[in-house]
Amino acid sequence: MIVKMQKYSFLVFHTDYEAFLEEIRRLGVVHIETKAAEPAEDMQEMMRTLADVTQTLKTLEARRNAISEVPALSLSGSGEDLLGKLKDAEAELERLEQYKAGLEKEIKQLEPWGDFSQTTVQKLAESGVKLRFLLCSLKNFRNEWIQEYPVGIVSDHQGYRHFILASYKNEPADVELPGVDEIAVPERSISELKDLVDEAALKITELKRLIDTIAYCGIQDIENYRRELKTSFDFAFVKNQTSDEAEGKVKLVEGWVPKPNCDELNRYLETQTVAWISRDPIPGEKVPVLLKNNKFTRVFEIIGDFYDMPNYRELDLTPFFAPFYMLYFGIALGDAGYGLIVLLAATLAKRKLKKMKQVLTLGQFLGLGTVIFGLCTGTFFGLSLGDFNVPLFQSFKDKFITTDQLFTLSLILGAIQIMFGMFIKVANITISQGFRYAFSTIGWIIMILGMGSTYMLSSKGVISEPLAGNLYKGVGVVAGLLIFVLNDPKRNIFMNILAGIWDTYGMVTGVLGDMLSYVRLFALGISGGILASVFNMMGTTMKPDIPVVGFIIMAIILLAGHGITLVMSGIGAFVHPIRLTFVEFYKNAGFMGGGKKYSPFATEPEQIENNAVEK
């Protein structure tokens, strides 16, 4: 359900404006109407900073959850100071990790030359002995070089020979050997490089410990800093939407308030020197949307959010698609055992993941729907409950839904939801445009239900053939009049007839295609069951005939197989009902969308629990 809104316009003397905004923010019921399309330059900078801090908090939360040992360091400073320390630490950490990687790469390049002393090389050079560091492929090396020149082989590494060519000060040092490359004399030995690596590793460990400490102890301070930034941004936003009147002496700001909260706001305004008026929305105004649903349908709002918010002048479809979505998920997953796992996993996770309460509650409902439908089909981890020698299951064995019945059920559910959507479309058109504009949709409802019910009654012998013929004609005339003549009260009759013909083409092809689309529920339901039964068969037939080992292998096959099936079927069971909801149901319900979520100017609620960690 969409909560009705009231528009308020406030005129406030400029010296009282800051205090007025503080009180409005404390009340937290006014959604400020956006007038300035582009945020000011300082607001853009605030948005970037706020986004950066928000992202940093998410990273710190993930890091805090991964910390197994309480850091021993202590912290001091405000949230802004800690954020600065964190940024500096992260930048230094990145630099050190790159530096350490470079050293390790240099060590790897020097390993074929061994850990020689650079001092020794320098002393040899001072005494007139020059060393050249050469390498070539093993096939290019000539053994006669050892006889002709003072060559010393150092090592063979990865198909290359590393060797030294020495020359004395009175000997030519520029001997050219074919196929040989010379590298620069290394400036540091492996020992020196390893010492630097150890030093860098120690600093990296200290920095990581500092970041862990900030994540564990300072996240609340940084969250407080984010809240301060958000408050500043909200105030800047409201001021950006404020108009100056009477040469800046008076400030004008407008906003939307849910009708249930109007009394609270009015009581406050009556005590202030603020000029204000309120009124109902007028056609064409962009009114924010606040949804109000019961505990069951509220959790399905996140499904609707995947598509779009309804606009203010249409029905919220969440209560109408929620039961269908739960049922469709149950059919598509289709196994009571899998549903039980989803239900238990969501229930256990709710104890730990407080912020995901809505999502996990949705998981509970979807798991429960799967358990119920799985019991209706008699399927439990790919096994048929009717095959169990349990009196209760045996008594229901003949009542379990069969594959043929599941196919028919999918089509029937599709027909029901499509017709349900058409009734909602009538209500939507009536709300947004007026009842007369819904005549065409009403005509199609009369056509489909009238023709269908007449055919059923006639085929069952309830009514006679002549009566059925008269009913067909009567339904056709009434429906045809609404579809082809009265489909738009403001158009002339000829345009209405042409529009009715085009509408007929769309309805005939669209409704048939929409109904067939629901067959996917049948396909998903049986495919998951087939996969589960295949893994059951593999588990029992592939296990070796060894008492303990056979049981272990069977358990591995069953766990892996059912895990894969649950994940694959679960994804399909989640996605395909979304498609049926957003395409088939929304289209036939005449959903328009485009609504903007109600977001009041308010004090932000506490979101991060204080860890009660002493700093």
Side-chain angles (χ1 to χ4, degrees):
M1 184 184 80
I2 296 176
V3 178
K4 295 297 179 187
M5 290 281 174
Q6 195 81 359
K7 185 170 185 178
Y8 279 74
S9 300
F10 307 102
L11 276 173
V12 189
F13 193 61
H14 68 100
T15 56
D16 301 332
Y17 193 55
E18 290 284 344
F20 170 75
L21 290 184
E22 284 287 357
E23 285 301 312
I24 289 294
R25 179 169 170 267
R26 183 186 61 78
L27 291 172
V29 296
V30 182
H31 174 106
I32 302 298
E33 186 171 70
T34 303
K35 293 180 178 176
E38 292 292 333
E41 190 172 335
D42 58 335
M43 287 183 62
Q44 293 181 16
E45 181 60 31
M46 293 170 74
M47 288 169 65
R48 285 191 286 270
T49 305
L50 191 58
D52 181 54
V53 176
T54 303
Q55 183 58 42
T56 300
L57 277 169
K58 289 181 181 177
T59 306
L60 287 177
E61 279 193 79
R63 193 175 187 115
R64 182 180 64 174
N65 293 334
I67 294 175
S68 57
E69 186 177 350
V70 178
L73 295 177
S74 61
L75 288 174
S76 62
S78 65
E80 187 176 6
D81 294 336
L82 293 180
L83 190 65
K85 288 181 182 177
L86 176 66
K87 294 296 181 185
D88 291 344
E90 287 178 338
E92 180 64 10
L93 179 62
E94 183 179 359
R95 188 194 69 78
L96 282 174
E97 286 181 336
Q98 291 178 356
Y99 173 65
K100 178 170 171 284
L103 293 174
E104 290 170 341
K105 183 178 179 182
E106 195 172 343
I107 289 174
K108 196 170 183 179
Q109 291 173 342
L110 281 180
E111 280 177 346
W113 299 102
D115 188 13
F116 62 88
S117 169
Q118 186 64 27
T119 306
T120 303
V121 176
Q122 290 176 351
K123 286 182 178 178
L124 287 173
E126 290 169 0
S127 62
V129 179
K130 181 180 179 183
L131 299 181
R132 295 173 62 191
F133 290 71
L134 307 175
L135 77 159
C136 67
S137 63
L138 291 174
K139 67 179 181 181
N140 287 340
F141 187 82
R142 301 287 181 266
N143 289 326
E144 54 267 29
W145 292 343
I146 300 174
Q147 306 298 325
E148 297 174 5
Y149 308 108
V151 168
I153 298 175
V154 179
S155 68
D156 293 335
H157 183 72
Q158 294 183 348
Y160 285 86
R161 174 155 292 174
H162 298 71
F163 58 99
I164 299 290
L165 176 61
S167 61
Y168 196 59
K169 54 186 177 182
N170 56 355
E171 295 176 350
D174 53 350
V175 175
E176 293 293 336
L177 300 177
V180 174
D181 294 324
E182 182 175 0
I183 67 168
V185 179
E187 296 179 354
R188 294 176 290 195
S189 67
I190 291 180
S191 297
E192 293 171 330
L193 291 172
K194 286 184 175 178
D195 289 341
L196 293 174
V197 167
D198 293 340
E199 184 181 346
L202 182 61
K203 291 180 180 177
I204 288 173
T205 302
E206 291 174 354
L207 287 171
K208 286 183 176 178
R209 189 178 299 125
L210 173 61
I211 295 174
D212 283 346
T213 306
I214 294 174
Y216 197 85
C217 306
I219 193 168
Q220 186 62 50
D221 294 318
I222 297 175
E223 167 62 14
N224 292 337
Y225 173 57
R226 187 197 69 80
R227 289 162 61 84
E228 292 172 8
L229 287 175
K230 182 69 167 54
T231 300
S232 301
F233 175 79
D234 289 345
F235 269 91
F237 172 78
V238 175
K239 290 177 180 177
N240 199 41
Q241 310 306 324
T242 302
S243 305
D244 288 337
E245 306 292 340
E247 298 179 347
K249 299 294 184 184
V250 177
K251 303 289 186 183
L252 169 64
V253 64
E254 295 180 306
W256 297 93
V257 179
K259 280 195 172 180
N261 299 109
C262 286
D263 290 341
E264 179 188 8
L265 179 62
N266 292 344
R267 282 194 296 272
Y268 161 71
L269 293 173
E270 287 167 0
T271 64
Q272 303 298 311
T273 56
V274 176
W276 58 277
I277 58 171
S278 67
R279 60 169 175 79
D280 291 328
I282 58 176
E285 280 189 316
K286 192 77 172 178
V287 185
V289 176
L290 173 62
L291 303 181
K292 184 179 180 181
N293 290 303
N294 59 36
K295 289 183 179 178
F296 171 69
T297 55
R298 192 181 306 142
V299 298
F300 288 86
E301 289 177 4
I302 54 178
I303 299 292
D305 288 343
F306 288 149
Y307 190 77
D308 199 3
M309 288 285 288
N311 69 58
Y312 183 73
R313 293 175 179 81
E314 66 179 338
L315 291 173
D316 171 25
L317 298 186
T318 308
F320 304 115
F321 77 70
F324 284 103
Y325 188 89
M326 181 176 169
L327 176 60
Y328 293 166
F329 186 92
I331 295 175
L333 192 53
D335 188 293
Y338 294 164
L340 192 60
I341 289 178
V342 174
L343 176 61
L344 292 175
T347 303
L348 293 174
K350 274 180 78 173
R351 299 180 179 180
K352 297 287 185 183
L353 306 173
K354 304 292 185 186
K355 292 182 180 178
M356 297 181 66
K357 182 180 178 182
Q358 187 179 8
V359 176
L360 295 171
T361 304
L362 175 63
Q364 287 178 304
F365 280 122
L366 298 182
L368 179 62
T370 308
V371 171
I372 294 172
F373 193 81
L375 292 176
C376 292
T377 56
T379 309
F380 190 80
F381 289 111
L383 303 172
S384 175
L385 293 177
D387 295 337
F388 287 82
N389 190 21
V390 178
L392 178 63
F393 297 151
Q394 290 294 324
S395 62
F396 284 98
K397 185 175 182 179
D398 298 332
K399 296 182 175 57
F400 289 141
I401 296 174
T402 64
T403 304
D404 292 341
Q405 291 171 334
L406 182 60
F407 181 82
T408 306
L409 178 64
S410 299
L411 291 176
I412 291 174
L413 286 172
I416 291 173
Q417 194 177 30
I418 289 171
M419 288 306 303
F420 186 49
M422 292 176 74
F423 277 103
I424 294 173
K425 186 176 182 179
V426 171
N428 263 331
I429 295 174
T430 303
I431 293 171
S432 59
Q433 303 176 59
F435 182 67
R436 291 188 302 166
Y437 289 86
F439 283 176
S440 177
T441 306
I442 295 172
W444 283 111
I445 292 174
I446 292 174
M447 177 76 80
I448 295 171
L449 293 182
M451 294 290 184
S453 56
T454 302
Y455 173 77
M456 289 183 63
L457 293 173
S458 175
S459 62
K460 297 291 183 183
V462 177
I463 59 175
S464 63
E465 288 293 331
L467 178 58
N470 291 330
L471 285 175
Y472 282 133
K473 293 176 184 174
V475 168
V477 169
V478 174
L481 189 65
L482 294 170
I483 295 169
F484 293 101
V485 181
L486 303 175
N487 53 45
D488 191 325
K490 291 187 177 179
R491 279 199 303 240
N492 65 56
I493 189 171
F494 300 105
M495 290 300 296
N496 279 351
I497 291 173
L498 291 175
I501 293 172
W502 177 252
D503 190 32
T504 301
Y505 169 76
M507 283 297 294
V508 171
T509 57
V511 170
L512 182 62
D514 291 345
M515 276 193 61
L516 292 177
S517 187
Y518 285 80
V519 175
R520 71 185 64 228
L521 296 174
F522 157 77
L524 287 166
I526 63 168
S527 62
I530 291 173
L531 273 176
S533 60
V534 166
F535 282 116
N536 286 340
M537 185 178 65
M538 289 174 62
T540 53
T541 57
M542 294 178 67
K543 71 170 185 175
D545 195 17
I546 305 172
V548 177
V549 176
F551 175 78
I552 293 173
I553 291 177
M554 183 180 71
I556 292 173
I557 293 174
L558 292 178
L559 285 174
H562 285 293
I564 293 170
T565 307
L566 176 58
V567 171
M568 292 176 62
S569 299
I571 293 172
F574 184 76
V575 171
H576 286 279
I578 286 180
R579 181 240 150 81
L580 294 175
T581 301
F582 293 160
V583 178
E584 279 75 15
F585 178 61
Y586 271 31
K587 181 182 72 176
N588 287 287
F591 180 79
M592 292 176 285
K596 184 176 182 179
K597 192 173 184 178
Y598 169 75
S599 178
F601 176 51
T603 304
E604 194 172 350
E606 293 282 350
Q607 291 185 345
I608 296 182
E609 297 177 359
N610 196 329
N611 288 329
V613 176
E614 294 184 2
K615 295 192 295 179

